[in-house]
Amino acid sequence: MSGPDRGTGPGPGPGPSMLRRLLRAFEEAAPGEGLAQIADRLGFDRAEAADLAAYWVRKGRLRREEIGTVDCSGCFFASRGCTTCPDDSAAPRPALVALTPVRRPGPGTPAP
């Protein structure tokens, strides 16, 4: 069977099983495994995987954290001739984005 509910083949958009597969992959991911690696492993288009991850962020099942700073002056690479950041100091700086699963408490476990 193909189609959006199976996560394969053409269809109008991501189906429920694709959403569940992506969330499960994040929950079971190896340390350091990111969205790109998970998308590749699942055979998902990376842009579509990003949309699926954004859904889980909105639902509170994944936490999105930007690691870094908007000021390059404290960056290790700034002193090494990095050319990644634009010259305009008001422009946003690149940051590492981490997506981590939010663990739901089990039965009988008090919520934090």
Side-chain angles (χ1 to χ4, degrees), residues 60-107:
R61 297 294 302 272
L62 290 178
R63 180 178 24 252
R64 183 182 192 274
E65 181 181 4
E66 289 189 13
I67 303 168
T69 178
V70 295
D71 177 16
C72 268
S73 63
C75 173
F76 169 78
F77 297 105
S79 63
R80 305 281 190 274
C82 172
T83 58
T84 302
C85 297
D87 290 334
D88 180 7
S89 61
R93 303 295 187 220
L96 174 66
V97 175
L99 294 171
T100 54
V102 175
R103 304 287 180 199
R104 297 191 334 199

Side-chain angles (χ1 to χ4, degrees), residues 105-111:
T109 305

Side-chain angles (χ1 to χ4, degrees), residues 3-4 8-14:
T8 59

